[in-house]
Amino acid sequence: MGIPKRQVSSTASSRIYDTLRQDLINGRFTAGEKVAISALKERYEIGLSPLREALNRLAAHGLLIQENQRGFRVPSMERSELDDIAEMRRELEGMALERAIRLGDAEWESELLAAAHRLKRADMAPDKVEEWEHFHACFHRTLVAPCGSAWLLRFIAQLHDQFDRYRRMAPEAPEVRRVLDAQHGELVELALERDIKSARALMDDHIQRSYQVALQGVLSPA
Amino acid sequence: MGIPKRQVSSTASSRIYDTLRQDLINGRFTAGEKVAISALKERYEIGLSPLREALNRLAAHGLLIQENQRGFRVPSMERSELDDIAEMRRELEGMALERAIRLGDAEWESELLAAAHRLKRADMAPDKVEEWEHFHACFHRTLVAPCGSAWLLRFIAQLHDQFDRYRRMAPEAPEVRRVLDAQHGELVELALERDIKSARALMDDHIQRSYQVALQGVLSPA
DNA sequence: TAATGATAAAAAATCGATTGTTTGGGCTAG
DNA sequence: CTAGCCCAAACAATCGATTTTTTATCATTA
């Protein structure tokens, strides 16, 4: 009945890719450590071929470092790299937000409101963090979605993965968290009002505060 | 004697990766076409495993499109995508150039002069194109190298691969080519004079002209 | 005739085993 | 001692064969 939907079959490669990506972002691997391929094989109960394909993709994405003949390493976490990532986020997301505000249509406004609402409703209880993270990523993606540049969106997504790796390592900061949550709502307001200048400024501030939080993860090694 | 240099042994995967990357950029595959994996296996006389690993990396890099259970396709070439790529190059390379000029030291100045000279000396005779392309890529890389952001450089490199795929498809344009070649020298001058504003403007113009050339490849299908 | 379904051929993905490289430990010569 | 060398164990990379999924073909039926 209806949609001739094409079976979205997945492969072992892409499943393990998604899993490893999450686990890398969530810091389930020690930074700087070498990844023992055969250990992963056991741990995730997966064959070598799909595993290696996933590792290759992750390396191309920057979530792993590949060295010929000696496998893969988890990138180390350096303050200087976080600085770089945050600075790039400011530049690229600022650019994207400005364009999104110029180009976004009524449909975008609706989706943005919806995404913001879902995020506000989601709670951050320890067992719900994954869900919250999902809505949070969705919100930021929706915010810049109509910027008109597929490549810009791609780069921003990559930077988010990198940034989140640091952020999730950092200790909780409820004070700042409240401010950051409030800013999500304010961003929506400014976007709907098409106030480019204020929106960019707020986005800058938002990323800067997130950066300050994430920074605690690098400064105080767990 | 001297450097305890580590043997930079390569793997079948990374060799075939480099080869395929070049061939994709050089338009040796029909845009939009599905890549027949077993055909590649024969053509490049390589095993399935290293081949598939290379394809996975290329897809993560954006030089191929991967679809679960139905292999890989060569991305189609659309004017709208070239527009996007060129616009992103203007933004990101402009940003990088400004920072490079601020941060670049004396050593950079030397390398930049050297790179520009090698490029000027290289000729573009049909059988030397590869060499020219190499020096050209080197020059642009050197120009922005000291921008201070590894991620920015990474994104720019990715955009260059994409852009070149269009540019190399386009018919030759000797008139414009002369202007573009001259601009390389002018870019060095402005960089050495640390004239950020003019340098950015020139870089913008340089990319814009290259874009006009590349555009001919999309408009007039070979 | 157009849609449906069965089936064969083709292609992608995965597995298990093999080959090749690196690494670490112990031995020897200086 | 310690630098250099050799060997074995560990690990990464690759191969060849198998399984799974898609695609193409063709008969069947509404």
Side-chain angles (χ1 to χ4, degrees):
Chain A
M1 105 224 213
I3 305 145
K5 101 162 94 169
R6 180 175 267 302
Q7 175 71 14
V8 274
S9 40
S10 82
T11 62
S13 286
S14 41
R15 278 195 302 276
I16 190 66
Y17 171 85
D18 288 335
T19 307
L20 284 174
R21 175 173 161 274
Q22 284 298 332
D23 288 357
L24 281 163
I25 293 173
N26 287 341
R28 300 236 170 76
F29 295 91
T30 312
E33 203 180 45
K34 192 163 168 331
V35 296
I37 302 189
S38 57
L40 292 190
K41 186 167 115 56
E42 311 296 320
R43 176 164 161 191
Y44 294 98
E45 299 178 53
I46 189 105
L48 268 183
S49 317
L51 179 55
R52 286 189 57 89
E53 291 190 8
L55 294 175
N56 271 278
R57 286 195 230 175
L58 288 164
H61 244 270
L63 279 169
L64 284 176
I65 293 164
Q66 185 165 27
E67 282 164 317
N68 281 343
Q69 306 291 11
R70 77 190 64 124
F72 300 83
R73 287 187 307 109
V74 182
S76 59
M77 297 174 78
E78 311 285 348
R79 187 195 161 134
S80 61
E81 221 220 347
L82 177 58
D83 290 354
D84 183 6
I85 293 162
E87 170 67 5
M88 277 301 122
R89 274 197 64 191
R90 276 193 293 272
E91 291 280 5
L92 300 197
E93 285 191 66
M95 193 188 301
L97 179 57
E98 170 159 350
R99 292 173 188 211
I101 291 177
R102 280 192 211 286
L103 299 172
D105 58 9
E107 180 54 25
W108 173 58
E109 298 181 351
S110 311
E111 283 168 20
L112 191 51
L113 280 164
H117 188 71
R118 277 192 291 269
L119 176 57
K120 188 153 63 184
R121 280 311 182 92
D123 75 27
M124 290 188 72
D127 59 324
K128 295 284 181 64
V129 177
E130 283 314 310
E131 205 177 297
W132 185 88
E133 290 286 352
H134 171 74
F135 287 133
H136 184 240
C138 267
F139 170 74
H140 278 282
R141 206 171 333 113
T142 306
L143 192 55
V144 294
C147 75
S149 167
W151 282 99
L152 185 51
L153 292 176
R154 192 179 174 120
F155 296 149
I156 288 172
Q158 220 171 330
L159 289 170
H160 265 270
D161 278 0
Q162 295 293 330
F163 189 87
D164 284 357
R165 188 162 167 262
Y166 285 85
R167 180 171 57 75
R168 297 215 198 173
M169 182 104 328
E172 290 192 34
E175 319 280 306
V176 192
R177 186 70 264 161
R178 261 188 293 281
V179 178
L180 291 169
D181 285 339
Q183 289 184 330
H184 291 142
E186 295 163 31
L187 279 166
V188 175
E189 283 177 39
L190 293 173
L192 297 188
E193 291 166 18
R194 311 279 162 171
D195 184 343
I196 290 173
K197 199 137 182 294
S198 310
R200 277 196 81 146
L202 181 54
M203 180 64 104
D204 239 68
D205 187 65
H206 186 68
I207 295 171
Q208 182 60 28
R209 282 175 204 266
S210 302
Y211 162 74
Q212 293 294 348
V213 173
L215 198 53
Q216 301 308 311
V218 194
L219 299 182
S220 62
Chain B
M1 107 218 204
I3 305 145
K5 107 159 87 168
R6 181 175 267 301
Q7 173 72 13
V8 273
S9 41
S10 84
T11 62
S13 285
S14 42
R15 279 194 303 274
I16 190 63
Y17 172 84
D18 289 335
T19 307
L20 285 173
R21 175 173 161 274
Q22 283 299 332
D23 288 357
L24 281 163
I25 293 174
N26 287 341
R28 301 233 171 79
F29 295 91
T30 312
E33 202 180 45
K34 192 164 167 332
V35 296
I37 301 189
S38 56
L40 292 191
K41 184 167 116 58
E42 311 297 321
R43 177 164 161 191
Y44 294 98
E45 299 179 56
I46 189 103
L48 267 184
S49 317
L51 179 54
R52 286 188 58 88
E53 291 190 8
L55 294 174
N56 271 280
R57 286 194 230 175
L58 289 164
H61 223 266
L63 280 169
L64 284 176
I65 293 163
Q66 184 166 27
E67 283 164 317
N68 281 342
Q69 307 290 13
R70 77 190 62 128
F72 299 84
R73 287 186 308 109
V74 182
S76 58
M77 296 175 78
E78 312 285 349
R79 187 198 161 130
S80 61
E81 220 219 347
L82 177 57
D83 290 354
D84 184 6
I85 293 162
E87 168 68 4
M88 276 301 122
R89 272 197 64 191
R90 276 194 292 273
E91 291 280 5
L92 300 198
E93 285 190 67
M95 193 189 301
L97 180 57
E98 169 158 351
R99 291 173 190 213
I101 291 177
R102 279 192 213 287
L103 298 173
D105 58 12
E107 179 54 26
W108 173 59
E109 298 181 352
S110 312
E111 283 169 19
L112 191 50
L113 280 165
H117 188 71
R118 277 192 291 269
L119 175 56
K120 189 155 61 184
R121 280 310 182 93
D123 76 25
M124 288 187 75
D127 57 325
K128 295 284 182 62
V129 178
E130 283 314 310
E131 204 177 297
W132 184 88
E133 289 287 352
H134 171 73
F135 287 134
H136 184 240
C138 266
F139 171 74
H140 278 282
R141 205 169 335 112
T142 306
L143 192 56
V144 294
C147 76
S149 167
W151 283 98
L152 185 50
L153 292 175
R154 190 180 176 124
F155 295 149
I156 289 173
Q158 219 172 330
L159 289 170
H160 266 269
D161 277 0
Q162 295 294 328
F163 189 87
D164 285 357
R165 187 162 169 260
Y166 284 85
R167 180 170 56 76
R168 298 215 198 173
M169 182 105 324
E172 290 191 33
E175 319 279 305
V176 192
R177 185 71 265 161
R178 261 188 294 281
V179 178
L180 290 169
D181 285 338
Q183 289 184 331
H184 291 143
E186 295 164 32
L187 278 166
V188 175
E189 284 176 40
L190 292 173
L192 297 188
E193 291 166 19
R194 312 279 163 172
D195 184 342
I196 290 175
K197 199 138 182 291
S198 310
R200 277 197 79 147
L202 181 54
M203 179 64 104
D204 239 69
D205 186 65
H206 186 68
I207 295 171
Q208 182 60 27
R209 281 175 204 266
S210 303
Y211 162 74
Q212 293 293 347
V213 172
L215 198 52
Q216 300 309 310
V218 194
L219 297 181
S220 63

